[in-house]
Amino acid sequence: MATKSTATGTGKPTEAVKQITYLATALKAPRITEAAARLADQARDAGWTHEDYLAAVLEREVSARNASGAQLRIRAAGFPGVKTLEDFDFDAQPAVRQQVAALASGGFLAEARNVVLLGPPGTGKTHLATALGVAAARTGHRVLFATATEWVTRLTEAHRAGRLPNELTRLRRYGLIVVDEVGYLPFEQDAANLFFQLVSSRYEHASLILTSNLPFSSWGGVFGDQAVAAAMIDRIVHHADVLTLKGASYRLRGRGIDSLPSIRTTADQGES
């Protein structure tokens, strides 16, 4: 509908601006009003076409929506804190710099590939897992973060309520699930089986990022069953990037402590 644009010197909005405001509100895109006003003089001075001006206004609305949506996805993910790849000290972990740079684009998500971060405590595994999760959320992916123990608790509750299949189906709608601290606590047999179902349900469908202070050879002790651990590892690493972090904990820097005691599973301790 054509409207008469009446320029005024009193600061009052023109009829066209009023119409833009009304239409933007009707479209639930209030930022269009601000962008249209801010870009109008620039468009006139630069001689933009109508198409150029419309594209610029809509581009700012889409960018603002994406930024807003990213913040919502980041908050909903349950990260322990917002970490970024820019904040990571790659000088302490130069061996993984190239691998992480390749993962930063998020291409592994489109291929339903996994990422496994292995290494001693304090070497930055959780930071990298979180940062990759934040990057995924910013590019439109739904993400969920929890420790391995928290995931097992969640699955156990679903199993007891008779809704485990529905829960696994729902979780598969998330482009990325982050499982932190695999191996810090051993699992009972039932818990190990539930965790295996989580891994199996996402195999070749959606991505996992896992962190662990233990090499794969020690996962049998964590899950209490070598066969379950082997089947789980097989599915995880079939399509995966495995990054190994090394060195002393960053938390110990400057404290005169060079290393932490070796971490061993309950099964290992029972054999000694």
Short mmCIF file of all heavy atoms in Angstrom, two decimals, residues 53-116:
data_model
loop_
_atom_site.label_atom_id
_atom_site.label_comp_id
_atom_site.label_asym_id
_atom_site.label_seq_id
_atom_site.Cartn_x
_atom_site.Cartn_y
_atom_site.Cartn_z
N TYR A 53 18.92 -1.23 -0.73
CA TYR A 53 18.47 -0.74 0.58
C TYR A 53 17.67 -1.81 1.33
O TYR A 53 17.90 -2.08 2.51
CB TYR A 53 17.61 0.52 0.36
CG TYR A 53 16.96 1.05 1.62
CD1 TYR A 53 17.72 1.44 2.71
CD2 TYR A 53 15.58 1.17 1.70
CE1 TYR A 53 17.13 1.95 3.85
CE2 TYR A 53 14.97 1.67 2.84
CZ TYR A 53 15.76 2.06 3.92
OH TYR A 53 15.16 2.55 5.05
N LEU A 54 16.75 -2.47 0.62
CA LEU A 54 15.95 -3.51 1.24
C LEU A 54 16.84 -4.66 1.72
O LEU A 54 16.66 -5.18 2.83
CB LEU A 54 14.91 -4.03 0.25
CG LEU A 54 14.02 -5.18 0.74
CD1 LEU A 54 13.21 -4.75 1.96
CD2 LEU A 54 13.08 -5.64 -0.38
N ALA A 55 17.80 -5.05 0.90
CA ALA A 55 18.69 -6.15 1.28
C ALA A 55 19.50 -5.79 2.52
O ALA A 55 19.69 -6.63 3.41
CB ALA A 55 19.63 -6.48 0.11
N ALA A 56 19.97 -4.55 2.60
CA ALA A 56 20.76 -4.13 3.76
C ALA A 56 19.92 -4.14 5.04
O ALA A 56 20.39 -4.56 6.10
CB ALA A 56 21.34 -2.73 3.52
N VAL A 57 18.69 -3.67 4.94
CA VAL A 57 17.81 -3.65 6.11
C VAL A 57 17.52 -5.08 6.58
O VAL A 57 17.62 -5.39 7.76
CB VAL A 57 16.49 -2.91 5.79
CG1 VAL A 57 15.48 -3.10 6.92
CG2 VAL A 57 16.76 -1.42 5.57
N LEU A 58 17.18 -5.95 5.64
CA LEU A 58 16.86 -7.33 6.00
C LEU A 58 18.08 -8.08 6.51
O LEU A 58 17.97 -8.93 7.40
CB LEU A 58 16.26 -8.05 4.80
CG LEU A 58 14.90 -7.52 4.32
CD1 LEU A 58 14.42 -8.31 3.10
CD2 LEU A 58 13.86 -7.58 5.43
N GLU A 59 19.25 -7.76 5.95
CA GLU A 59 20.48 -8.42 6.41
C GLU A 59 20.73 -8.13 7.88
O GLU A 59 21.12 -9.02 8.64
CB GLU A 59 21.66 -7.94 5.58
CG GLU A 59 22.98 -8.56 6.00
CD GLU A 59 24.16 -8.02 5.20
OE1 GLU A 59 24.01 -6.95 4.57
OE2 GLU A 59 25.22 -8.64 5.23
N ARG A 60 20.49 -6.89 8.29
CA ARG A 60 20.70 -6.55 9.70
C ARG A 60 19.69 -7.23 10.61
O ARG A 60 20.00 -7.63 11.73
CB ARG A 60 20.68 -5.03 9.87
CG ARG A 60 22.02 -4.41 9.49
CD ARG A 60 21.87 -3.01 8.94
NE ARG A 60 23.17 -2.46 8.58
CZ ARG A 60 23.81 -2.74 7.43
NH1 ARG A 60 23.29 -3.59 6.58
NH2 ARG A 60 24.98 -2.18 7.17
N GLU A 61 18.48 -7.40 10.12
CA GLU A 61 17.47 -8.11 10.91
C GLU A 61 17.86 -9.58 11.09
O GLU A 61 17.78 -10.14 12.19
CB GLU A 61 16.11 -8.01 10.23
CG GLU A 61 15.03 -8.89 10.84
CD GLU A 61 14.69 -8.53 12.28
OE1 GLU A 61 14.96 -7.39 12.71
OE2 GLU A 61 14.13 -9.40 12.98
N VAL A 62 18.30 -10.21 10.01
CA VAL A 62 18.70 -11.61 10.08
C VAL A 62 19.91 -11.78 10.99
O VAL A 62 19.98 -12.71 11.81
CB VAL A 62 19.00 -12.16 8.67
CG1 VAL A 62 19.63 -13.54 8.74
CG2 VAL A 62 17.71 -12.23 7.86
N SER A 63 20.89 -10.87 10.88
CA SER A 63 22.08 -10.96 11.73
C SER A 63 21.72 -10.83 13.20
O SER A 63 22.23 -11.56 14.05
CB SER A 63 23.09 -9.87 11.34
OG SER A 63 23.57 -10.06 10.03
N ALA A 64 20.82 -9.90 13.50
CA ALA A 64 20.40 -9.69 14.88
C ALA A 64 19.65 -10.91 15.40
O ALA A 64 19.84 -11.34 16.55
CB ALA A 64 19.52 -8.45 14.98
N ARG A 65 18.81 -11.51 14.56
CA ARG A 65 18.08 -12.71 14.98
C ARG A 65 19.02 -13.87 15.22
O ARG A 65 18.87 -14.62 16.19
CB ARG A 65 17.05 -13.10 13.91
CG ARG A 65 15.83 -12.21 13.87
CD ARG A 65 14.74 -12.83 13.04
NE ARG A 65 13.55 -11.99 13.00
CZ ARG A 65 12.37 -12.40 12.58
NH1 ARG A 65 12.21 -13.64 12.16
NH2 ARG A 65 11.33 -11.58 12.57
N ASN A 66 20.02 -14.02 14.34
CA ASN A 66 20.98 -15.10 14.52
C ASN A 66 21.76 -14.93 15.82
O ASN A 66 22.00 -15.90 16.54
CB ASN A 66 21.94 -15.15 13.33
CG ASN A 66 21.29 -15.71 12.08
OD1 ASN A 66 20.25 -16.35 12.15
ND2 ASN A 66 21.89 -15.46 10.93
N ALA A 67 22.16 -13.70 16.10
CA ALA A 67 22.91 -13.44 17.33
C ALA A 67 22.05 -13.72 18.56
O ALA A 67 22.50 -14.32 19.53
CB ALA A 67 23.40 -11.99 17.36
N SER A 68 20.79 -13.31 18.50
CA SER A 68 19.88 -13.55 19.61
C SER A 68 19.63 -15.04 19.79
O SER A 68 19.64 -15.57 20.90
CB SER A 68 18.56 -12.82 19.38
OG SER A 68 17.64 -13.08 20.41
N GLY A 69 19.42 -15.74 18.68
CA GLY A 69 19.18 -17.17 18.74
C GLY A 69 20.39 -17.92 19.26
O GLY A 69 20.26 -18.89 20.02
N ALA A 70 21.58 -17.46 18.89
CA ALA A 70 22.80 -18.11 19.36
C ALA A 70 22.92 -18.00 20.87
O ALA A 70 23.29 -18.97 21.54
CB ALA A 70 24.03 -17.48 18.68
N GLN A 71 22.61 -16.83 21.41
CA GLN A 71 22.68 -16.66 22.85
C GLN A 71 21.69 -17.57 23.56
O GLN A 71 22.00 -18.14 24.62
CB GLN A 71 22.43 -15.19 23.22
CG GLN A 71 23.55 -14.26 22.82
CD GLN A 71 24.90 -14.68 23.39
OE1 GLN A 71 25.02 -14.97 24.58
NE2 GLN A 71 25.91 -14.74 22.54
N LEU A 72 20.52 -17.72 22.99
CA LEU A 72 19.53 -18.63 23.58
C LEU A 72 20.02 -20.07 23.55
O LEU A 72 19.86 -20.82 24.52
CB LEU A 72 18.19 -18.50 22.84
CG LEU A 72 17.43 -17.19 23.03
CD1 LEU A 72 16.20 -17.15 22.11
CD2 LEU A 72 17.00 -17.03 24.48
N ARG A 73 20.62 -20.47 22.44
CA ARG A 73 21.12 -21.85 22.31
C ARG A 73 22.29 -22.09 23.27
O ARG A 73 22.41 -23.17 23.85
CB ARG A 73 21.54 -22.13 20.87
CG ARG A 73 20.36 -22.29 19.91
CD ARG A 73 20.83 -22.79 18.55
NE ARG A 73 21.63 -21.79 17.86
CZ ARG A 73 21.15 -20.83 17.10
NH1 ARG A 73 19.85 -20.70 16.92
NH2 ARG A 73 21.96 -19.97 16.49
N ILE A 74 23.13 -21.09 23.45
CA ILE A 74 24.27 -21.23 24.37
C ILE A 74 23.78 -21.38 25.80
O ILE A 74 24.25 -22.23 26.55
CB ILE A 74 25.22 -20.02 24.22
CG1 ILE A 74 25.96 -20.10 22.87
CG2 ILE A 74 26.23 -19.98 25.38
CD1 ILE A 74 26.74 -18.85 22.54
N ARG A 75 22.79 -20.57 26.19
CA ARG A 75 22.25 -20.68 27.55
C ARG A 75 21.55 -22.02 27.76
O ARG A 75 21.66 -22.63 28.83
CB ARG A 75 21.29 -19.52 27.82
CG ARG A 75 21.97 -18.18 28.04
CD ARG A 75 21.04 -17.20 28.72
NE ARG A 75 19.91 -16.84 27.88
CZ ARG A 75 19.90 -15.82 27.02
NH1 ARG A 75 20.99 -15.06 26.89
NH2 ARG A 75 18.84 -15.55 26.30
N ALA A 76 20.85 -22.48 26.74
CA ALA A 76 20.10 -23.73 26.87
C ALA A 76 21.02 -24.96 26.89
O ALA A 76 20.61 -26.03 27.34
CB ALA A 76 19.10 -23.87 25.73
N ALA A 77 22.25 -24.81 26.42
CA ALA A 77 23.16 -25.96 26.31
C ALA A 77 23.63 -26.47 27.66
O ALA A 77 23.99 -27.65 27.78
CB ALA A 77 24.36 -25.59 25.44
N GLY A 78 23.65 -25.60 28.66
CA GLY A 78 24.10 -26.03 29.98
C GLY A 78 25.61 -26.06 30.15
O GLY A 78 26.13 -26.82 30.98
N PHE A 79 26.33 -25.24 29.40
CA PHE A 79 27.77 -25.17 29.56
C PHE A 79 28.14 -24.70 30.97
O PHE A 79 27.44 -23.85 31.54
CB PHE A 79 28.38 -24.18 28.55
CG PHE A 79 28.22 -24.59 27.12
CD1 PHE A 79 27.50 -23.79 26.24
CD2 PHE A 79 28.80 -25.75 26.63
CE1 PHE A 79 27.34 -24.14 24.91
CE2 PHE A 79 28.65 -26.11 25.30
CZ PHE A 79 27.92 -25.31 24.44
N PRO A 80 29.24 -25.20 31.52
CA PRO A 80 29.66 -24.72 32.84
C PRO A 80 30.12 -23.27 32.81
O PRO A 80 30.19 -22.59 33.84
CB PRO A 80 30.81 -25.67 33.20
CG PRO A 80 31.31 -26.18 31.89
CD PRO A 80 30.11 -26.27 31.01
N GLY A 81 30.45 -22.79 31.66
CA GLY A 81 30.85 -21.40 31.44
C GLY A 81 31.09 -21.24 29.95
O GLY A 81 31.30 -22.23 29.24
N VAL A 82 31.03 -20.03 29.46
CA VAL A 82 31.24 -19.79 28.03
C VAL A 82 32.73 -19.67 27.77
O VAL A 82 33.40 -18.77 28.29
CB VAL A 82 30.50 -18.53 27.56
CG1 VAL A 82 30.80 -18.27 26.08
CG2 VAL A 82 29.00 -18.69 27.76
N LYS A 83 33.26 -20.59 26.99
CA LYS A 83 34.66 -20.59 26.59
C LYS A 83 34.74 -20.48 25.08
O LYS A 83 33.87 -20.99 24.37
CB LYS A 83 35.36 -21.88 27.04
CG LYS A 83 35.27 -22.17 28.53
CD LYS A 83 36.16 -21.26 29.33
CE LYS A 83 36.18 -21.68 30.79
NZ LYS A 83 37.06 -20.79 31.60
N THR A 84 35.78 -19.85 24.58
CA THR A 84 35.95 -19.73 23.13
C THR A 84 37.31 -20.26 22.73
O THR A 84 38.24 -20.37 23.55
CB THR A 84 35.83 -18.27 22.67
OG1 THR A 84 36.94 -17.51 23.19
CG2 THR A 84 34.51 -17.66 23.17
N LEU A 85 37.45 -20.56 21.46
CA LEU A 85 38.73 -21.04 20.94
C LEU A 85 39.77 -19.92 20.99
O LEU A 85 40.96 -20.19 21.15
CB LEU A 85 38.56 -21.55 19.52
CG LEU A 85 37.66 -22.78 19.36
CD1 LEU A 85 37.47 -23.13 17.89
CD2 LEU A 85 38.24 -23.97 20.12
N GLU A 86 39.32 -18.68 20.87
CA GLU A 86 40.24 -17.55 20.93
C GLU A 86 40.89 -17.44 22.31
O GLU A 86 42.01 -16.92 22.44
CB GLU A 86 39.52 -16.26 20.59
CG GLU A 86 39.08 -16.12 19.14
CD GLU A 86 37.87 -16.98 18.78
OE1 GLU A 86 37.15 -17.42 19.72
OE2 GLU A 86 37.64 -17.22 17.59
N ASP A 87 40.19 -17.91 23.33
CA ASP A 87 40.71 -17.83 24.70
C ASP A 87 41.66 -18.97 25.04
O ASP A 87 42.32 -18.93 26.08
CB ASP A 87 39.55 -17.87 25.71
CG ASP A 87 38.63 -16.67 25.58
OD1 ASP A 87 39.10 -15.62 25.12
OD2 ASP A 87 37.44 -16.80 25.91
N PHE A 88 41.74 -19.98 24.20
CA PHE A 88 42.52 -21.17 24.54
C PHE A 88 44.01 -20.91 24.33
O PHE A 88 44.42 -20.26 23.36
CB PHE A 88 42.08 -22.36 23.69
CG PHE A 88 42.70 -23.66 24.10
CD1 PHE A 88 42.26 -24.33 25.23
CD2 PHE A 88 43.74 -24.22 23.37
CE1 PHE A 88 42.82 -25.53 25.62
CE2 PHE A 88 44.32 -25.42 23.74
CZ PHE A 88 43.85 -26.07 24.88
N ASP A 89 44.83 -21.44 25.23
CA ASP A 89 46.28 -21.27 25.16
C ASP A 89 46.88 -22.37 24.29
O ASP A 89 47.29 -23.43 24.79
CB ASP A 89 46.88 -21.31 26.58
CG ASP A 89 48.39 -21.06 26.57
OD1 ASP A 89 48.94 -20.73 25.49
OD2 ASP A 89 49.02 -21.23 27.64
N PHE A 90 46.94 -22.12 23.01
CA PHE A 90 47.48 -23.13 22.10
C PHE A 90 49.01 -23.24 22.22
O PHE A 90 49.59 -24.23 21.76
CB PHE A 90 47.09 -22.81 20.66
CG PHE A 90 45.68 -23.20 20.33
CD1 PHE A 90 44.69 -22.23 20.25
CD2 PHE A 90 45.34 -24.52 20.11
CE1 PHE A 90 43.38 -22.58 19.96
CE2 PHE A 90 44.04 -24.88 19.81
CZ PHE A 90 43.05 -23.91 19.74
N ASP A 91 49.65 -22.26 22.82
CA ASP A 91 51.09 -22.38 23.04
C ASP A 91 51.40 -23.53 23.99
O ASP A 91 52.47 -24.13 23.92
CB ASP A 91 51.65 -21.07 23.62
CG ASP A 91 51.63 -19.94 22.61
OD1 ASP A 91 51.62 -20.24 21.39
OD2 ASP A 91 51.63 -18.77 23.02
N ALA A 92 50.44 -23.83 24.89
CA ALA A 92 50.63 -24.96 25.81
C ALA A 92 50.27 -26.29 25.17
O ALA A 92 50.67 -27.35 25.66
CB ALA A 92 49.78 -24.74 27.07
N GLN A 93 49.49 -26.24 24.07
CA GLN A 93 49.07 -27.47 23.37
C GLN A 93 49.24 -27.28 21.86
O GLN A 93 48.28 -27.35 21.09
CB GLN A 93 47.60 -27.79 23.69
CG GLN A 93 47.31 -28.08 25.13
CD GLN A 93 47.94 -29.38 25.61
OE1 GLN A 93 48.29 -30.25 24.81
NE2 GLN A 93 48.09 -29.51 26.92
N PRO A 94 50.46 -27.03 21.40
CA PRO A 94 50.65 -26.75 19.97
C PRO A 94 50.30 -27.93 19.06
O PRO A 94 49.96 -27.73 17.89
CB PRO A 94 52.14 -26.41 19.88
CG PRO A 94 52.76 -27.10 21.07
CD PRO A 94 51.73 -27.02 22.15
N ALA A 95 50.36 -29.15 19.58
CA ALA A 95 50.13 -30.32 18.73
C ALA A 95 48.70 -30.42 18.23
O ALA A 95 48.45 -31.07 17.21
CB ALA A 95 50.50 -31.60 19.50
N VAL A 96 47.76 -29.79 18.93
CA VAL A 96 46.35 -29.92 18.51
C VAL A 96 45.86 -28.67 17.79
O VAL A 96 44.69 -28.62 17.39
CB VAL A 96 45.44 -30.21 19.72
CG1 VAL A 96 45.86 -31.49 20.41
CG2 VAL A 96 45.41 -29.05 20.71
N ARG A 97 46.70 -27.68 17.62
CA ARG A 97 46.26 -26.42 17.02
C ARG A 97 45.63 -26.63 15.65
O ARG A 97 44.55 -26.11 15.36
CB ARG A 97 47.45 -25.46 16.91
CG ARG A 97 47.05 -24.05 16.44
CD ARG A 97 48.28 -23.24 16.06
NE ARG A 97 49.19 -23.06 17.18
CZ ARG A 97 49.14 -22.02 18.02
NH1 ARG A 97 48.23 -21.07 17.86
NH2 ARG A 97 50.02 -21.92 19.00
N GLN A 98 46.29 -27.40 14.79
CA GLN A 98 45.79 -27.60 13.44
C GLN A 98 44.49 -28.40 13.43
O GLN A 98 43.56 -28.08 12.68
CB GLN A 98 46.85 -28.31 12.59
CG GLN A 98 46.50 -28.40 11.12
CD GLN A 98 47.67 -28.92 10.28
OE1 GLN A 98 48.77 -29.12 10.79
NE2 GLN A 98 47.42 -29.16 9.01
N GLN A 99 44.41 -29.42 14.27
CA GLN A 99 43.19 -30.22 14.33
C GLN A 99 42.00 -29.39 14.81
O GLN A 99 40.91 -29.48 14.27
CB GLN A 99 43.39 -31.41 15.28
CG GLN A 99 44.24 -32.54 14.72
CD GLN A 99 44.47 -33.64 15.73
OE1 GLN A 99 45.24 -33.46 16.68
NE2 GLN A 99 43.81 -34.76 15.56
N VAL A 100 42.23 -28.59 15.83
CA VAL A 100 41.14 -27.75 16.35
C VAL A 100 40.71 -26.73 15.32
O VAL A 100 39.51 -26.47 15.15
CB VAL A 100 41.57 -27.06 17.66
CG1 VAL A 100 40.51 -26.05 18.10
CG2 VAL A 100 41.81 -28.08 18.76
N ALA A 101 41.66 -26.14 14.61
CA ALA A 101 41.33 -25.17 13.58
C ALA A 101 40.44 -25.79 12.51
O ALA A 101 39.50 -25.15 12.01
CB ALA A 101 42.61 -24.62 12.95
N ALA A 102 40.70 -27.05 12.17
CA ALA A 102 39.88 -27.74 11.18
C ALA A 102 38.47 -28.00 11.71
O ALA A 102 37.50 -27.98 10.95
CB ALA A 102 40.55 -29.05 10.76
N LEU A 103 38.37 -28.25 13.02
CA LEU A 103 37.06 -28.53 13.62
C LEU A 103 36.24 -27.27 13.83
O LEU A 103 35.01 -27.34 13.93
CB LEU A 103 37.26 -29.23 14.97
CG LEU A 103 37.86 -30.64 14.93
CD1 LEU A 103 38.25 -31.09 16.33
CD2 LEU A 103 36.88 -31.63 14.32
N ALA A 104 36.90 -26.14 13.93
CA ALA A 104 36.22 -24.89 14.29
C ALA A 104 35.12 -24.51 13.30
O ALA A 104 34.14 -23.86 13.67
CB ALA A 104 37.23 -23.76 14.40
N SER A 105 35.27 -24.92 12.04
CA SER A 105 34.26 -24.58 11.03
C SER A 105 32.95 -25.32 11.26
O SER A 105 31.92 -24.93 10.71
CB SER A 105 34.79 -24.89 9.63
OG SER A 105 34.97 -26.30 9.48
N GLY A 106 33.00 -26.40 12.04
CA GLY A 106 31.78 -27.16 12.30
C GLY A 106 31.44 -28.20 11.25
O GLY A 106 30.37 -28.80 11.29
N GLY A 107 32.36 -28.43 10.32
CA GLY A 107 32.08 -29.41 9.28
C GLY A 107 31.83 -30.80 9.83
O GLY A 107 31.09 -31.59 9.22
N PHE A 108 32.42 -31.13 10.96
CA PHE A 108 32.23 -32.47 11.54
C PHE A 108 30.78 -32.71 11.93
O PHE A 108 30.31 -33.85 11.94
CB PHE A 108 33.15 -32.66 12.75
CG PHE A 108 32.77 -31.89 13.99
CD1 PHE A 108 32.06 -32.50 15.02
CD2 PHE A 108 33.14 -30.56 14.14
CE1 PHE A 108 31.72 -31.80 16.17
CE2 PHE A 108 32.81 -29.85 15.29
CZ PHE A 108 32.09 -30.47 16.30
N LEU A 109 30.04 -31.64 12.22
CA LEU A 109 28.63 -31.78 12.59
C LEU A 109 27.79 -32.21 11.39
O LEU A 109 26.89 -33.04 11.52
CB LEU A 109 28.11 -30.47 13.15
CG LEU A 109 28.77 -30.02 14.47
CD1 LEU A 109 28.47 -28.56 14.73
CD2 LEU A 109 28.30 -30.88 15.61
N ALA A 110 28.07 -31.65 10.24
CA ALA A 110 27.33 -32.01 9.03
C ALA A 110 27.57 -33.46 8.65
O ALA A 110 26.70 -34.11 8.04
CB ALA A 110 27.74 -31.09 7.88
N GLU A 111 28.73 -33.99 9.03
CA GLU A 111 29.07 -35.38 8.71
C GLU A 111 28.76 -36.34 9.85
O GLU A 111 29.07 -37.53 9.76
CB GLU A 111 30.56 -35.46 8.36
CG GLU A 111 30.95 -34.61 7.16
CD GLU A 111 32.45 -34.58 6.95
OE1 GLU A 111 33.18 -35.22 7.74
OE2 GLU A 111 32.90 -33.92 5.99
N ALA A 112 28.15 -35.83 10.93
CA ALA A 112 27.84 -36.64 12.12
C ALA A 112 29.09 -37.32 12.67
O ALA A 112 29.06 -38.47 13.12
CB ALA A 112 26.76 -37.67 11.82
N ARG A 113 30.21 -36.61 12.61
CA ARG A 113 31.46 -37.11 13.16
C ARG A 113 31.57 -36.74 14.63
O ARG A 113 30.95 -35.78 15.09
CB ARG A 113 32.67 -36.53 12.40
CG ARG A 113 32.77 -37.01 10.97
CD ARG A 113 33.98 -36.39 10.27
NE ARG A 113 35.23 -36.73 10.94
CZ ARG A 113 35.90 -37.86 10.75
NH1 ARG A 113 35.42 -38.77 9.90
NH2 ARG A 113 37.03 -38.10 11.37
N ASN A 114 32.37 -37.51 15.35
CA ASN A 114 32.61 -37.25 16.77
C ASN A 114 33.97 -36.61 16.98
O ASN A 114 34.84 -36.66 16.11
CB ASN A 114 32.53 -38.56 17.57
CG ASN A 114 31.20 -39.26 17.40
OD1 ASN A 114 30.15 -38.62 17.39
ND2 ASN A 114 31.22 -40.58 17.27
N VAL A 115 34.14 -36.04 18.16
CA VAL A 115 35.43 -35.50 18.58
C VAL A 115 35.73 -36.07 19.95
O VAL A 115 34.87 -36.03 20.84
CB VAL A 115 35.41 -33.96 18.64
CG1 VAL A 115 36.75 -33.44 19.15
CG2 VAL A 115 35.08 -33.36 17.28
N VAL A 116 36.92 -36.64 20.12
CA VAL A 116 37.34 -37.18 21.41
C VAL A 116 38.59 -36.45 21.86
O VAL A 116 39.58 -36.36 21.11
CB VAL A 116 37.63 -38.69 21.33
CG1 VAL A 116 37.95 -39.25 22.71
CG2 VAL A 116 36.43 -39.43 20.73
#
